[in-house]
Amino acid sequence: MAMTRDDVIKALSAVTIDESGTTLPASGRLSQVVVDPTNRVMFSILIDPSEATRFEPIRRKAEGAVLAMAGVSGVFASLTSERGPNQPAPAPARPPSPGQAAGPRTGPALPGVRHIVAVASGKGGVGKSTTACNLALALSAQGLKVGLLDADIYGPSVPKLFGLSGKPKVIEERLLAPMDGYGIKVMSIGFLIEPETAMIWRGPMVQSAITQMLREVAWGELDILVVDMPPGTGDAQLTMAQATPLSGAVIVSTPQDLALIDARRGVTMFRKVAVPILGVIENMATFVCPNCGHSSHIFGHGGARAEAARLDVPFLGEIPLNMTIRETSDAGRPVVAVDPDGPQAQIYRTIAAQLWSNLSGGPATRAAPRIVIE
Ligand code: ADP
């Protein structure tokens, strides 16, 4: 039986938020309610961060009220605070490392995760997701423990890039197991909802879904969690950049002028929320002809490097426009995983090593050698 949003709102009217009996829908704190085609229900409750403890039982009651409805297949309810970028925020949970700007990052640190790094782009289609996947795999090839969170809520592509399907396992209440993608831990909104559903989400919904994927997934111990951000530099991206305890951000750009202007906006956005820029990557930089080996600069060349210098951010490297990269990504077999010693993987590995060194202030750490006594 198809459920409607009105059915859900009616069920939520049984939940009151104060002693005078104000119902949740009447309180003005309920976000847009979304019911997906499989009768999964998603909503968030808007709160001030100081109200989190008082509202947690209300959130659970709201979840219970919806779960009790006939036909519902799941509930995704969360508490969201819509703190504006200029409002004061709690001090960062961790002191910033040397060289990092101290700033108004609101998200508390994720226990067990050393660094969270956003891979962002000023616009879609520049190869952000392809780069995020291959960089994550290259970091893993260095012996680091790596997770990849696909936060590109409007167009999750990580399941396809890794050839992963199916639903993540629920380990215990409100805790999901990440999927395994060539040895790294992977989570994507694409595993959880129908692709069309997220398209209609607004800022607070997007943020709460991402917060949930950050905090309600059993990431375990990680050296680095790579976050594939939604493309662009709008409010949703800004809020996310602020709400996630990021150690830094990487901006992917093509050499085209237009993309560079967008990349500049990306740098400005992260600076606004005091997230250090770990570097700019130029993707689709050169085209090397597979037949004759001649390289052509189809979109111009060197723009991203020059722009990085102008903006005073590190330049991490260039990735060529390459048929193998496209074919392997589109086939769900990322090039760094399937041809780890090939020329393309080498490029990602060099960039990953530089990225890690910019992040940790030292050379890439490898897993400690195991001493075997025979
Ligand atoms: P975005 O995440 O920025 O929207 P994607 O990573 O989905 O971009 O890439 C868009 C398309 O470009 C995909 O078909 C992908 O395979 C291709 N692509 C990305 N980077 C490269 C590259 N360096 N060489 C060739 N094709 C690429």
Side-chain angles (χ1 to χ4, degrees), residues 87-111:
Q87 285 168 264
R94 280 175 300 183
S97 333
Q100 286 190 346
R105 268 167 278 160
T106 55
L110 211 55

Side-chain angles (χ1 to χ4, degrees), residues 276-327:
I277 309 287
L278 299 167
V280 172
I281 297 175
E282 187 169 85
N283 190 34
M284 310 194 194
T286 51
F287 175 71
V288 182
C289 173
N291 299 321
C292 70
H294 175 72
S295 71
S296 325
H297 299 135
I298 292 179
F299 299 120
H301 183 237
R305 185 189 288 272
E307 190 58 32
R310 216 179 63 78
L311 291 167
D312 198 23
V313 295
F315 182 70
L316 285 173
E318 297 169 6
I319 302 163
L321 178 66
N322 176 272
M323 190 72 101
T324 313
I325 295 178
R326 196 204 57 74
E327 282 174 352

Side-chain angles (χ1 to χ4, degrees), residues 118-122 126 128 227-232 249-253 266 269-270:
V119 176
S121 64
V126 301
K128 170 183 55 60
V227 181
D228 183 9
M229 292 272 288
V250 172
I251 313 268
V252 180
S253 176
M269 175 179 84
F270 284 111

Side-chain angles (χ1 to χ4, degrees), residues 40 73 76 148-150 156 158-159 164-181 184-194 209 212-214 216-219:
R40 250 178 316 193
S73 63
F76 201 68
L148 177 67
L149 170 60
D150 180 7
V158 166
L164 288 169
S165 58
K167 299 270 178 239
K169 279 201 192 78
V170 179
I171 308 176
E172 56 190 74
E173 200 195 354
R174 302 185 68 78
L175 197 63
L176 292 175
M179 307 278 253
D180 176 72
I184 68 177
K185 292 177 177 171
V186 181
M187 180 51 67
S188 167
I189 193 77
F191 297 139
L192 304 172
I193 56 162
E194 303 300 317
Q212 201 165 349
M213 286 196 297
L214 267 177
E216 295 178 14
V217 168
W219 292 110

Side-chain angles (χ1 to χ4, degrees), residues 39-357:
N39 279 356
R40 250 178 316 193
V41 177
M42 283 150 272
F43 60 88
S44 55
I45 302 170
L46 302 177
I47 57 158
D48 184 85
S50 61
E51 299 175 310
T53 315
R54 181 165 88 78
F55 269 86
E56 177 53 25
I58 298 171
R59 187 196 64 75
R60 264 188 260 131
K61 246 187 231 159
E63 217 170 47
V66 175
L67 268 178
M69 295 172 69
V72 69
S73 63
V75 188
F76 201 68
S78 55
L79 300 177
T80 309
S81 93
E82 266 186 314
R83 194 195 291 281
N86 298 321
Q87 285 168 264
R94 280 175 300 183
S97 333
Q100 286 190 346
R105 268 167 278 160
T106 55
L110 211 55
V113 178
R114 275 172 76 190
H115 292 290
I116 306 181
V117 170
V119 176
S121 64
K123 64 166 193 173
V126 301
K128 170 183 55 60
S129 299
T130 304
T131 308
C133 285
N134 281 302
L135 275 185
L137 289 163
L139 287 159
S140 164
Q142 281 177 202
L144 297 167
K145 290 197 202 92
V146 182
L148 177 67
L149 170 60
D150 180 7
D152 190 348
I153 226 117
Y154 299 112
S157 43
V158 166
K160 183 168 171 245
L161 282 164
F162 277 85
L164 288 169
S165 58
K167 299 270 178 239
K169 279 201 192 78
V170 179
I171 308 176
E172 56 190 74
E173 200 195 354
R174 302 185 68 78
L175 197 63
L176 292 175
M179 307 278 253
D180 176 72
Y182 299 97
I184 68 177
K185 292 177 177 171
V186 181
M187 180 51 67
S188 167
I189 193 77
F191 297 139
L192 304 172
I193 56 162
E194 303 300 317
E196 303 79 39
T197 309
M199 298 303 287
I200 53 169
W201 286 4
R202 299 264 171 77
M205 285 291 285
V206 170
Q207 194 201 322
S208 65
I210 291 166
T211 307
Q212 201 165 349
M213 286 196 297
L214 267 177
R215 305 201 177 275
E216 295 178 14
V217 168
W219 292 110
E221 296 281 321
L222 291 182
D223 292 306
I224 179 166
L225 177 61
V226 177
V227 181
D228 183 9
M229 292 272 288
T233 48
D235 284 350
Q237 288 80 1
L238 184 69
T239 317
M240 230 200 87
Q242 192 191 28
T244 311
L246 294 171
S247 297
V250 172
I251 313 268
V252 180
S253 176
T254 62
Q256 285 154 292
D257 251 346
L258 201 66
L260 288 178
I261 293 167
D262 289 315
R264 211 171 302 154
R265 288 203 188 105
V267 170
T268 311
M269 175 179 84
F270 284 111
R271 283 201 170 140
K272 232 189 232 176
V273 291
V275 171
I277 309 287
L278 299 167
V280 172
I281 297 175
E282 187 169 85
N283 190 34
M284 310 194 194
T286 51
F287 175 71
V288 182
C289 173
N291 299 321
C292 70
H294 175 72
S295 71
S296 325
H297 299 135
I298 292 179
F299 299 120
H301 183 237
R305 185 189 288 272
E307 190 58 32
R310 216 179 63 78
L311 291 167
D312 198 23
V313 295
F315 182 70
L316 285 173
E318 297 169 6
I319 302 163
L321 178 66
N322 176 272
M323 190 72 101
T324 313
I325 295 178
R326 196 204 57 74
E327 282 174 352
T328 49
S329 325
D330 293 353
R333 305 168 67 246
V335 69
V336 173
V338 297
D339 187 13
D341 297 317
Q344 287 81 29
Q346 192 47 53
I347 293 167
Y348 286 109
R349 284 162 70 156
T350 306
I351 294 177
Q354 186 60 48
L355 168 66
W356 183 252
S357 125

